[in-house]
Amino acid sequence: MKQKLIHNATILNEGKKYTGSVLIEDRFIKTIYTGEVPENMLQHAEIIDATGQILIPGVIDDQVHFREPGLTHKGDIRSESRAAVAGGITSYMEMPNTNPQTTTIEELNKKFDRAAETSSANYSFYLGATNDNINELKKADKTRVCGIKAFLGSSTGNLLVDKDETLRAIFSEIDMPIAVHCESDAIIQANIAHYKTLYGEDLPIKFHPLIRNEEACYHSSSYVVELAHRYNTKLHVLHLSTAKELTLFETKPLTEKRITGEVCIHHLWFDSQDYEKYGNRIKWNPAIKSAKDKEALLEGVKNGKLDVIATDHAPHLLSEKEGSCLQAASGGPLVQHSLLVAMELSHQGKISENLAINKMCHAPALLFGIEKRGFIREGYYADLVLIEPNKPFTVSRENILYKCEWSPFEGYTFSSSIAKTFVNGNIVYDNGQIIDNGEQGMELRFG
């Protein structure tokens, strides 16, 4: 591969902002220049003029659902990874609730094989926990599998882990990150019965955060945090959605934590007042809750109680999002726009640019121990994103790359846009175009 020089960029990395240039050779960052670039380099490298653009490490999304195998009418690894790189996401970790579910090493390996053929971004996959597969979990290769996923709320098939003895065994015997979806199924079912008795079967979307309420979330989150303390488990609590849950987490450096928390971009952007405008398009599990909860989550990002910002990208066809709050599918597509949302939050003064980069790029790499990614450092893989900070981008049906062909942000104009995305030194997205150069993403490796 010819050397590439990203020249004269505004670099955001590791809490600093400065003008510099980055030399890419093969798949790696060879040299970072903070002063003048040698004349011979300007003559021999392919120059990418980044004047006025922001250069950041590629985003690492630790929670996506790309729907392959079995649900590929909604999305697949090829389509959703292309949307991801268009949004500045260069690496992802994909969830096990596909069909068949990823609860065996055999099914896990099929996903790795498929991603090697079709993924535009780098990848890893969670192995799903059930009530009876702990022996399979123990076989997971910790150098290539990002973690174990346990659903403690309603889920499809047998992915709901609801036996105390199973959870105790997983938390005490599995020596790798355990990522959990925390909602109490018993509380959810009781709330459904309560509201159906009062208002009938056809409950509108405003009931969704009442059914999947603060109590359902906190009851489950507090239980797993207590288990993790008891067994010294490396626990990662996904998509936190309430102010109350933040009391379970500590403010200290990520490298000193065994228990960590993630917030998803939609819980930082929307709140329950938005259901009237967007309806089922913003139906997620856990539910989007009050403005007070949203503000507390933003504060949790700033004070360090929340460690990672991710998406929980979960595409459905719009036809599957129709019906009452008990019928409409939960989840929505986000990977193409999550970085733009974070930059917009910065533009609005909600969080700083460097904090957004920390939570979306650096922190996932540190938390999961990803080798040579997540930072702009010499010797690291050249997973990089160039952002146009003053070039607005309006989301429209014509520029959406999700297979489901919609976004909750349709019609919104972001202040920034993604100019280029590099994966392992290759330009895979360039000003609105996916670049098919025959190179696929790589397996993430964990140390």
Side-chain angles (χ1 to χ4, degrees):
M1 183 189 298
K2 184 179 179 180
Q3 290 180 325
K4 300 184 185 76
L5 182 72
I6 302 173
H7 187 43
N8 202 34
T10 300
I11 298 174
L12 285 179
N13 184 56
E14 301 192 65
K16 298 178 182 178
K17 185 175 185 177
Y18 59 93
T19 300
S21 301
V22 174
L23 180 66
I24 299 170
E25 185 174 272
D26 297 324
R27 294 173 170 172
F28 299 96
I29 297 170
K30 181 175 176 61
T31 310
I32 301 169
Y33 299 98
T34 55
E36 293 294 320
V37 177
E39 186 63 30
N40 68 321
M41 194 56 60
L42 293 173
Q43 292 175 354
H44 292 101
E46 175 188 346
I47 306 299
I48 298 166
D49 184 7
T51 304
Q53 297 180 339
I54 294 171
L55 181 67
I56 68 167
V59 173
I60 301 171
D61 194 336
D62 76 350
Q63 186 187 183
V64 303
H65 303 261
F66 280 180
R67 304 305 191 192
E68 189 172 1
L71 302 167
T72 53
H73 66 288
K74 306 171 191 276
D76 56 50
I77 290 172
R78 181 179 184 273
S79 66
E80 307 314 285
S81 67
R82 287 160 70 93
V85 297
I89 293 171
T90 57
S91 300
Y92 62 85
M93 304 176 208
E94 206 264 350
M95 289 295 168
N97 50 334
T98 48
N99 184 19
Q101 296 164 342
T102 319
T103 56
T104 65
I105 300 299
E106 180 182 5
E107 292 302 327
L108 185 71
N109 287 335
K110 290 178 183 178
K111 280 191 174 180
F112 276 110
D113 291 344
R114 183 61 175 161
E117 296 171 349
T118 67
S119 182
S120 294
N122 306 310
Y123 51 87
S124 185
F125 299 93
Y126 290 89
L127 185 60
T130 72
N131 281 323
D132 55 12
N133 77 334
I134 189 167
N135 289 330
E136 200 73 6
L137 303 183
K138 291 178 180 179
K139 298 176 187 177
D141 181 349
K142 292 188 291 185
T143 67
R144 71 192 296 242
V145 179
C146 53
I148 304 302
K149 172 65 182 291
F151 290 86
L152 274 72
S154 299
S155 184
T156 54
N158 67 338
L159 278 173
L160 176 61
V161 182
D162 57 359
K163 293 182 178 179
D164 286 344
E165 61 270 26
T166 300
L167 281 169
R168 286 195 296 271
I170 291 171
F171 275 59
S172 62
E173 298 177 33
I174 300 300
D175 182 26
M176 62 189 308
I178 297 173
V180 289
H181 176 134
C182 287
E183 292 181 288
S184 167
D185 195 55
I187 292 173
I188 291 168
Q189 295 306 318
N191 288 339
I192 289 173
H194 172 72
Y195 288 111
K196 284 171 67 173
T197 298
L198 291 177
Y199 302 104
E201 300 277 342
D202 192 23
L203 297 173
I205 187 62
K206 69 179 182 179
F207 285 94
H208 188 57
L210 303 179
I211 290 169
R212 291 177 176 266
N213 61 7
E214 177 188 82
E215 181 187 3
C217 294
Y218 182 80
H219 183 275
S220 182
S221 296
S222 59
Y223 172 60
V224 295
V225 168
E226 189 276 327
L227 276 181
H229 279 300
R230 185 186 309 172
Y231 297 113
N232 194 32
T233 310
K234 188 166 178 58
L235 173 68
H236 188 47
V237 185
L238 301 170
H239 43 43
L240 290 154
S241 63
T242 71
K244 188 175 182 179
E245 288 172 288
L246 297 184
T247 63
L248 301 169
F249 298 88
E250 297 178 282
T251 297
K252 64 181 182 181
L254 174 58
T255 52
E256 298 176 14
K257 293 185 180 183
R258 294 284 289 174
I259 299 171
T260 52
E262 174 210 273
V263 64
C264 288
I265 201 73
H266 48 283
H267 287 120
L268 299 178
W269 185 263
F270 299 107
D271 61 56
S272 55
Q273 298 174 69
D274 293 312
Y275 285 117
E276 184 175 355
K277 178 179 179 180
Y278 295 98
N280 292 339
R281 289 190 178 211
I282 61 168
K283 183 190 175 194
W284 276 277
N285 296 339
I288 288 166
K289 297 182 174 66
S290 70
K292 177 184 174 183
D293 289 304
K294 179 178 74 174
E295 294 307 314
L297 294 169
L298 283 164
E299 184 60 31
V301 169
K302 289 187 284 187
N303 66 26
K305 286 192 172 185
L306 292 170
D307 303 288
V308 170
I309 298 174
T311 64
D312 194 15
H313 172 86
H316 297 283
L317 301 185
L318 276 176
S319 59
E320 297 170 322
K321 297 287 285 181
E322 296 175 353
S324 74
C325 84
L326 300 179
Q327 297 169 327
S330 293
L334 288 165
V335 288
Q336 191 177 345
H337 305 110
S338 60
L339 177 56
L340 293 180
V341 175
M343 296 301 291
E344 197 74 5
L345 289 171
S346 173
H347 183 76
Q348 295 172 357
K350 303 287 182 65
I351 57 175
S352 71
E353 291 175 327
N354 270 315
L355 186 58
I357 302 317
N358 180 21
K359 302 297 183 180
M360 300 181 81
C361 309
H362 306 331
L366 291 173
L367 194 157
F368 288 90
I370 302 173
E371 294 183 353
K372 294 186 177 182
R373 302 190 193 274
F375 297 86
I376 300 177
R377 292 176 178 171
E378 293 177 357
Y380 273 51
Y381 287 100
D383 296 340
L384 301 163
V385 182
L386 279 170
I387 299 169
E388 289 273 13
N390 300 309
K391 183 180 178 181
F393 178 82
T394 302
V395 181
S396 68
R397 191 64 60 92
E398 290 70 35
N399 57 37
I400 288 170
L401 297 181
Y402 309 127
K403 197 171 187 179
C404 66
E405 299 183 334
W406 67 275
S407 165
F409 297 106
E410 278 179 67
Y412 189 87
T413 299
F414 292 104
S415 303
S416 307
S417 58
I418 309 299
K420 287 181 173 64
T421 302
F422 301 76
V423 175
N424 305 313
N426 294 298
I427 298 176
V428 295
Y429 176 80
D430 190 355
N431 289 294
Q433 299 297 317
I434 297 292
I435 308 300
D436 285 317
N437 54 19
E439 295 286 337
Q440 307 303 329
M442 297 172 60
E443 284 189 29
L444 299 177
R445 291 293 176 175
F446 306 91

